[in-house]
Amino acid sequence: MTKQIIINTDIEKSTINKNIYGHFAEHLGRCIYEGFWVGEDSPIPNTNGIRNDVVEALKNINIPLLRWPGGCFADEYHWKDGIGPREGRKRMVNTHWGGVVENNHFGTHEFMMLCDMLGAEPYINGNVGSGTVLEMQEWIEYLTFEGESPMSNLRKENGREEPWKVKYFGVGNENWGCGGNMRPQYYSDLYRQFQTYVRNYGDNKLYKIAGGANVDDYNWTEVLMRESAPLMDGLSLHYYTIPGDFWEGKGSATDPSESEWFITMQKALHMDELITKHSTIMDKYDPDKRIGMIIDEWGTWFDVEPGTNPGFLYQQNTIRDALVAGLHFHIFHEHSDRVHMTNIAQTINVLQSVLLTEGEKMILTPTYHVFEMFKVHQDAQFLSVSADVQSYKMDEKELPQVSVSVSKAANGEVNISLCNIDTKNDAPLSLQLRGLTEGEPKVTGRVLTADKTNSHNTFDQPENVSPKELKNINVSEGGLSVTLPPMSVSVITLSN
Ligand code: AHR
């Protein structure tokens, strides 16, 4: 049955911060090494050690910012190990991620160069769990101080005369777990202490992000907001979509049963409840919404690909991941008055990646295509929509079959993104367009879909799941009608 969606093109609710489309790269598995960094002597085409294909692909999705060096790795990372001549850098054990040797060849200078090449803002995560206040203070000084000082002089000795601009700085990561197993009161006090020395030098103004809650730990948010809100600009939240059990078996990335598909969608949609409840607490202490909710780790987490190092968290990426990404972005748009940044975990070769590499080959995943199709929402105005949609049912449970989100870009273009999460049924829709003033618009559409729940791209078939033209859009007075295929993510663009 055709369902109706009303789009109020004249009611703008909030700005969708482009940083909602942010990324995360940790020293984990093959994300940094092989993914971004191959070294200057590699036969893989690179610029100063960084893969050219990766840079080009990420620029194509307007990557706004990149979080580094972790994750759990951040609270074991000592930044001075990663500066100076590479051959002299300390080799350490990456205890969290496979116990492999970390040679520190990718450090501060390499990361800042990468951000420069991508045109992305750096988001650096400092070490609270095993670091010192002095170490964090000196990192900021090394990065951003222009004048004469020990750290600024050291930076110059290492070949960088000018300070860098750094805005986003995280004071610890998951300090309730791998970042020190702390209680919220204790971390809150440490946050207050550490952030004191995260200083603004010259005109470099830092945006300080406090380590936030795990999933539904609302007490953590309550304590942090009550005790430290005036001293932070952002508070993080981590939530992964895991269809199974974290310890007993998360489920296969490429072989979901119908019920695992349903549970994955249900768990992805749970993000809405989490943001709503954490926001309610934040509103109590920050009614003007000055402090950003920073969801700096999100995405699917499945069992690793058979035969790969369990500590490397390498998983394939299917049409199911594309729908999870689409649903998340719609939820983030809905909460864009509070959600100022999010970072998918992780950019390359780890968890819900946008790129996978194998030697000199690189493929774009279905999730990549969602980032590419949705880039039109970056910094656009989020529009009011009311939707009446069918249910997607399984046993006694049901979910909305279709999710929709609409924004208006600075050039007046209206972009409607739509996800049909049903594995079998089409979604016939009538879209009513209220408030258009310029007459009948030009309408175009693209769709990402597949015929199997496990469809994905491989190094032999890299285009298996890729966007196509959405053909069946019928324009009528005041609106349009369209039928979304099962398991699809679409974007319809209205322009003049
Ligand atoms: O993204 C993988 C890990 O998940 C991160 O290192 C950690 O912060 C989280 O638990």
Side-chain angles (χ1 to χ4, degrees):
M1 193 181 34
T2 303
K3 289 295 194 174
Q4 203 178 62
I5 292 175
I6 301 170
I7 297 167
N8 299 300
T9 67
D10 54 349
I11 305 181
E12 298 176 357
K13 290 172 80 179
S14 50
T15 304
I16 299 170
N17 195 319
K18 68 172 189 232
N19 292 339
I20 281 176
Y21 289 83
H23 282 258
F24 170 37
E26 180 167 8
H27 289 240
L28 195 179
R30 298 185 301 113
C31 182
I32 296 293
Y33 300 106
E34 290 185 44
F36 283 103
W37 177 260
V38 287
E40 286 143 352
D41 301 330
S42 171
I44 298 172
N46 69 85
T47 303
N48 301 329
I50 291 171
R51 288 180 76 122
N52 295 342
D53 51 358
V54 161
V55 169
E56 194 190 329
L58 294 177
K59 282 174 88 166
N60 186 42
I61 55 173
N62 292 350
I63 178 174
L65 59 86
L66 186 61
R67 176 177 183 240
W68 172 83
C72 294
F73 183 80
D75 282 270
E76 285 205 297
Y77 183 61
H78 301 284
W79 68 271
K80 283 187 186 164
D81 296 346
I83 56 172
R86 273 186 215 114
E87 52 292 358
R89 292 186 193 174
K90 201 185 264 181
R91 290 163 71 83
M92 64 183 274
V93 180
N94 191 333
T95 38
H96 281 293
W97 307 122
V100 294
V101 171
E102 159 66 56
N103 65 14
N104 276 304
H105 280 195
F106 189 90
T108 300
H109 290 249
E110 290 77 14
F111 174 66
M112 296 307 288
M113 174 178 70
L114 168 63
C115 289
D116 208 38
M117 287 161 74
L118 293 170
E121 291 256 19
Y123 166 14
I124 293 182
N125 212 117
N127 179 348
V128 171
S130 71
T132 63
V133 176
L134 176 65
E135 190 180 4
M136 191 176 283
Q137 177 194 7
E138 288 188 330
W139 202 3
I140 301 292
E141 185 185 316
Y142 186 89
L143 285 157
T144 64
F145 189 69
E146 181 161 24
E148 167 87 25
S149 86
M151 289 305 111
S152 165
N153 291 350
L154 182 59
R155 182 190 69 238
K156 290 171 192 169
E157 276 167 34
N158 286 331
R160 172 80 189 192
E161 192 60 32
E162 295 297 309
W164 288 284
K165 288 276 175 237
V166 177
K167 184 170 176 188
Y168 299 103
F169 194 85
V171 181
N173 167 73
E174 295 196 352
N175 301 94
W176 40 262
C178 65
N181 282 308
M182 299 171 196
R183 288 172 293 189
Q185 286 80 358
Y186 181 67
Y187 170 70
S188 182
D189 281 348
L190 282 187
Y191 174 77
R192 295 172 67 98
Q193 181 190 3
F194 273 68
Q195 69 77 37
T196 307
Y197 304 91
V198 175
R199 293 208 166 99
N200 293 323
Y201 291 114
D203 62 356
N204 190 73
K205 175 91 179 73
L206 287 154
Y207 181 105
K208 300 176 193 176
I209 299 170
N214 184 30
V215 192
D216 57 358
D217 184 352
Y218 300 114
N219 182 49
W220 186 279
T221 300
E222 173 75 34
V223 173
L224 263 288
M225 288 301 293
R226 189 182 65 223
E227 308 292 337
S228 307
L231 301 174
M232 65 174 83
D233 300 299
L235 178 62
S236 71
L237 169 68
H238 288 182
Y239 173 62
Y240 286 94
T241 298
I242 304 169
D245 177 87
F246 189 84
W247 301 110
E248 301 293 322
K250 303 176 189 72
S252 156
T254 51
D255 191 20
S257 62
E258 182 73 29
S259 118
E260 278 177 311
W261 174 285
F262 187 92
I263 292 168
T264 306
M265 297 305 139
Q266 189 180 32
K267 292 203 171 176
L269 288 165
H270 184 56
M271 181 63 98
D272 185 52
E273 179 183 324
L274 295 173
I275 298 177
T276 304
K277 290 188 174 168
H278 283 288
S279 293
T280 306
I281 299 165
M282 292 178 79
D283 287 351
K284 195 162 97 183
Y285 299 98
D286 176 36
D288 297 336
K289 300 187 193 293
R290 179 188 66 82
I291 300 172
M293 185 185 291
I294 307 295
I295 304 173
D296 51 18
E297 290 186 28
W298 67 269
T300 55
W301 195 329
F302 303 121
D303 295 333
V304 297
E305 287 306 306
T308 64
N309 186 331
F312 282 13
L313 309 186
Y314 176 74
Q315 65 190 41
Q316 249 293 359
N317 195 286
T318 69
I319 187 70
R320 179 169 52 145
D321 295 81
L323 279 149
V324 170
L327 294 180
H328 273 77
F329 286 134
H330 286 183
I331 294 166
F332 298 153
H333 295 173
E334 194 70 46
H335 293 278
S336 49
D337 56 346
R338 177 64 83 182
V339 176
H340 296 178
M341 182 205 296
T342 88
N343 308 71
I344 193 165
Q346 301 189 0
T347 312
I348 314 176
N349 294 333
V350 172
L351 301 178
Q352 189 173 353
S353 302
V354 298
L355 302 174
L356 300 178
T357 65
E358 195 177 85
E360 78 288 352
K361 293 187 190 160
M362 181 200 76
I363 54 173
L364 312 177
T365 66
T367 300
Y368 175 94
H369 292 303
V370 177
F371 273 80
E372 190 277 318
M373 291 164 73
F374 280 36
K375 68 184 177 186
V376 290
H377 289 308
Q378 291 189 16
D379 280 342
Q381 293 304 309
F382 177 59
L383 298 182
S384 141
V385 173
S386 62
D388 167 34
V389 300
Q390 294 277 25
S391 294
Y392 165 45
K393 296 188 183 139
M394 161 134 309
D395 304 327
E396 301 294 282
K397 302 195 189 94
E398 49 187 86
L399 300 171
Q401 182 197 10
V402 170
S403 159
V404 56
S405 190
V406 188
S407 72
K408 189 188 272 182
N411 64 5
E413 242 177 43
V414 172
N415 288 290
I416 307 164
S417 47
L418 298 144
C419 301
N420 177 7
I421 62 173
D422 197 314
T423 52
K424 297 190 178 69
N425 296 302
D426 284 342
L429 298 174
S430 156
L431 307 180
Q432 301 298 310
L433 301 166
R434 268 207 56 263
L436 282 182
T437 49
E438 304 271 337
E440 204 169 275
K442 181 168 162 251
V443 181
T444 54
R446 291 165 80 208
V447 61
L448 185 75
T449 188
D451 51 3
K452 297 198 197 80
T453 54
N454 67 353
S455 295
H456 58 279
N457 296 332
T458 65
F459 293 94
D460 296 326
Q461 289 187 300
E463 308 271 313
N464 202 22
V465 185
S466 51
K468 309 269 177 323
E469 187 188 345
L470 180 63
K471 288 200 174 126
N472 55 349
I473 312 173
N474 298 306
V475 183
S476 58
E477 203 184 325
L480 50 95
S481 62
V482 66
T483 296
L484 307 176
M487 303 187 284
S488 63
V489 180
S490 306
V491 174
I492 297 175
T493 301
L494 315 178
S495 53
N496 289 306

